[in-house]
Amino acid sequence: MSASAEKFTCQTLLEVHPLTSSLFTLRTTRDPGFRFRAGQFARLGVTKADGSVVWRAYSMVSSPHDEFLEFFSIVVPGGEFTSELNRLGVGDTLLVDRQAFGFLTLDRFIDGRDLWLLGTGTGLAPFLSILQDFEVWERFDNIVLVYSARESRELAYRELIAGLAEREYLAEYAHKLRFIPIVTREKYPGALGSRVTELIESGELEQAAGLRLTPEHSRVMICGNPQMIEDTRALLKTHGMQLSLSRRPGQVAVENYW
Ligand code: FAD
């Protein structure tokens, strides 16, 4: 069967940038028919030496209006997918499922004034897509991007985040964004130094943002490490904040990466 008749398309790697030995970013061509909402993920496939294909979910970093697709990846030692992905270079082929998936999108929330985006590690990815799309800037008065990594060199996309304010179409909105980096395993100037949950419990996160976490005003998206998500959700529940479901709109939306 030809690729065009398949559930996936074949895309070409345009750029690969290692950040550390276990983190890298990659950019591919994009099929013009591939549509997604900011915050969604694609299923990516790599072909192994024996001809079999391994598939994994990956959030788009790029925005729905970019002509390319960008992803931010971990390398799991011995990981079936990432060991293969890590071997690919510019010009190689990546398979991309024709359909995008996922509910970590702004339509999870019907209202809200302050949007909190809490990501650990590669869980930053969907938030970059959301921040590069216009809708979020119009809908919310305040946007707090909280990005936690173990070491400062693992803080990816710092230039992109700092550059949002310089984008012409965001000029009048850029003041809405507060960026709060967290580095947990070393001291790093300008970053908070504890886990997200501890920072919520101690009130430090609210203090850094200059905003309170309240069911009335806050809408919270959490992405990345499942344990962090579970613990944060439990904590937010004590603040009166619930998971947002189609039948019962709430204040919290999550995406577990494993
Ligand atoms: P796997 O066998 O899949 O995983 C082995 C173990 O590695 C896991 O049990 C877990 O302990 C750890 N692990 C897996 N993924 C990560 C991760 N991202 N960060 C830290 N530890 C991890 N991964 C990305 O790198 N970038 C993304 O944008 C991304 N988006 C995802 C979106 C969704 C909806 C889901 C469900 C997962 C996403 N993942 C993402 C994880 C990804 O699908 C794979 O799990 C990852 O590529 C590792 O694949 P693997 O076969 O090498 O190892």
Side-chain angles (χ1 to χ4, degrees), residues 57-74:
Y58 269 78
S59 305
M60 268 67 76
V61 166
S62 46
S63 85
H65 56 76
D66 284 323
E67 282 177 8
F68 53 85
L69 294 176
E70 176 139 343
F71 304 98
F72 176 28
S73 183
I74 182 95

Side-chain angles (χ1 to χ4, degrees), residues 172-239:
E172 63 176 296
Y173 298 94
H175 65 276
K176 295 183 174 188
L177 180 67
R178 294 144 169 90
F179 175 43
I180 305 180
I182 300 173
V183 175
T184 53
R185 294 207 187 155
E186 64 181 8
K187 283 213 179 314
Y188 186 65
L192 299 180
S194 315
R195 289 163 180 268
V196 172
T197 41
E198 291 164 5
L199 294 168
I200 294 176
E201 270 180 315
S202 68
E204 266 182 273
L205 197 67
E206 290 172 313
Q207 202 180 356
L211 293 168
R212 299 292 310 280
L213 278 162
T214 66
E216 186 191 2
H217 293 306
S218 316
R219 299 296 173 266
V220 187
M221 289 182 157
I222 323 171
C223 185
N225 181 317
Q227 192 61 55
M228 181 280 289
I229 293 178
E230 195 185 316
D231 295 348
T232 310
R233 262 187 66 187
L235 203 53
L236 292 174
K237 217 168 168 187
T238 67
H239 286 241

